Amino acid sequence: MSGAAQTPSAPAGAEAVSPGRLSTLDRWLPVWIAAAMAAGLVAGRTVPGLGAALQVVQVDGISLPIALGLLVMMYPVLAKVRYDRLETVTGDWRLLVTSLVLNWVAGPALMFALAWLFLPDLPAYRTGLIIVGLARCIAMVVIWNDLACGDREAAAVLVALNSAFQVIAFAGLGWFYLVALPGWLGLPAAALDVSTWDIARSVLIFLGIPLAAGYLTRRLGERTKGRTWYETRFLPKIGPVALWGLLFTIVILFALQGDAITSKPLDVARIALPLLVYFALMWIGAFALGHLVGLGYARTATLAFTAAGNNFELAIAVAIATFGVTSGQALAGVVGPLIEVPVLLALVYLSLALRHRLARG
């Protein structure tokens, strides 16, 4: 993502270059992410009072440092979007309909099935996983998509579409999967108390702010300096900020939950297994479907990552607000990014490998 040379986050269609031309940050990204996760876990486990200190100030129920990290992470990617090309995405009904079906029908249904299959004896963790399945990704997905050379304009549209449906459908789907459907199947139910305004506020903060900033930056930058300057001089300078924001967010997130994660390794393993299956099935299924309907690599990659990713910030906030900060539901939400970050990073490299294979084919 950083530097003037083409990297894994170059625009879709750009030619790959030799690893020697990649920036140090890009070339060793898996190492930096693993180090960030480890550093966060160690800090959360060993530094007394760190978690409480990080939670003193919150933004919409999310620790202020995490909120800042998410906003910093998303802004450079959204500043890269060519907003004058969005109409080419909004007119692609194959992409839009497929994304809606994957995100709001297949994803929640699959997580519901996996939660009951793998955690029939652990109702708190099971409920937490179902909440994760209902929270469709609107933040970190822009990073994975950019690293995989997906279609930035398509990602912006699909994230906005997911945001709108999140506001409209989250509470209703929560009732359906936690109360109605278990009742019809003769299974134990669990109530979910969350307001539409709480979800809308979360969307406005974590998508609206960086989206507005990215849009205004491009408009003002191109108007004052021209598109060539904006894309060849300005964007390469702010590009690394997204990955630094990602690493910062990972450190803080894992520091906040380091004690909970490391003190219950068997519980974490039980929660992790259905999550691994979920991310793999959603990504592989979405990628295969996108290829089948002829979306092309860039939009197929975008479809796959928007379908596989989840809004862990919202899931954790809802679980804490409804069941409490020390609840099993909240722990299940916390384990989400623990598994999602390394798995989706691995899928970035798989996606790039498939891109080159499809190009040769």
Side-chain angles (χ1 to χ4, degrees):
M1 283 183 59
S2 56
Q6 298 291 353
T7 74
S9 60
E15 294 298 324
V17 299
S18 63
R21 291 181 60 190
L22 298 178
S23 71
T24 301
L25 181 62
D26 288 326
R27 189 165 61 250
W28 296 96
L29 182 59
V31 176
W32 307 141
I33 286 182
M37 293 169 65
L41 289 173
V42 171
R45 185 73 176 180
T46 61
V47 179
L50 178 61
L54 292 173
Q55 291 280 26
V56 168
V57 181
Q58 297 188 349
V59 176
D60 197 41
I62 300 296
S63 166
L64 177 61
I66 289 182
L68 293 175
L70 291 170
L71 296 176
V72 169
M73 176 185 73
M74 294 178 68
Y75 162 68
V77 180
L78 292 173
K80 295 177 183 179
V81 172
R82 288 282 301 273
Y83 292 94
D84 56 344
R85 293 180 178 173
L86 293 185
E87 68 275 5
T88 66
V89 180
T90 55
D92 190 346
W93 289 101
R94 295 173 303 168
L95 175 65
L96 299 182
V97 172
T98 304
S99 178
L100 286 175
V101 171
L102 286 169
N103 276 285
W104 297 101
V105 179
L110 176 61
M111 189 68 90
F112 175 86
L114 291 173
W116 275 99
L117 178 64
F118 285 94
L119 302 170
D121 58 327
L122 296 171
Y125 297 156
R126 184 177 64 237
T127 298
L129 281 186
I130 292 172
I131 294 173
V132 170
L134 299 177
R136 313 313 299 170
C137 196
I138 65 170
M140 202 168 284
V141 68
V142 298
I143 289 286
W144 308 130
N145 178 73
D146 215 42
L147 288 170
C149 298
D151 187 317
R152 290 181 185 132
E153 288 70 42
V157 170
L158 294 187
V159 163
L161 191 64
N162 275 344
S163 299
F165 269 78
Q166 204 149 245
V167 173
I168 297 169
F170 186 91
L173 286 174
W175 169 82
F176 178 77
Y177 281 106
L178 294 175
V179 179
L181 185 56
W184 298 342
L185 299 175
L187 302 171
L192 181 66
D193 182 20
V194 57
S195 73
T196 300
W197 166 241
D198 289 338
I199 300 170
R201 187 175 62 233
S202 177
V203 168
L204 287 172
I205 293 172
F206 294 111
L207 175 63
I209 292 175
L211 182 61
Y215 174 78
L216 291 174
T217 299
R218 177 171 279 277
R219 287 295 301 271
L220 294 175
E222 290 187 352
R223 183 176 298 175
T224 57
K225 294 284 191 176
R227 177 164 293 177
T228 299
W229 174 88
Y230 184 83
E231 295 191 344
T232 62
R233 300 287 298 276
F234 179 74
L235 289 182
K237 289 182 178 180
I238 67 168
V241 174
L243 289 186
W244 287 118
L246 171 65
L247 296 175
F248 174 80
T249 303
I250 291 172
V251 170
I252 300 300
L253 178 67
F254 281 63
L256 279 169
Q257 305 298 338
D259 184 64
I261 292 172
T262 56
S263 63
K264 299 179 180 179
L266 293 180
D267 288 2
V268 169
R270 288 283 307 270
I271 298 168
L273 187 55
L275 283 169
L276 282 169
V277 176
Y278 172 84
F279 292 134
L281 289 180
M282 286 299 295
W283 192 91
I284 293 171
F287 198 96
L289 186 57
H291 182 64
L292 182 65
V293 300
L295 291 179
Y297 169 79
R299 290 188 177 179
T300 294
T302 300
L303 178 70
F305 283 102
T306 51
N310 290 87
N311 186 351
F312 63 83
E313 315 92 59
L314 176 62
I316 294 172
V318 169
I320 290 174
T322 305
F323 303 102
V325 69
T326 61
S327 65
Q329 292 87 344
L331 178 60
V334 167
V335 176
L338 173 71
I339 305 304
E340 179 176 336
V341 168
V343 169
L344 290 192
L345 179 62
L347 290 173
V348 165
Y349 287 95
L350 175 59
S351 185
L352 291 170
L354 291 173
R355 175 196 185 198
H356 296 311
R357 184 172 182 177
L358 291 173
R360 288 197 302 270

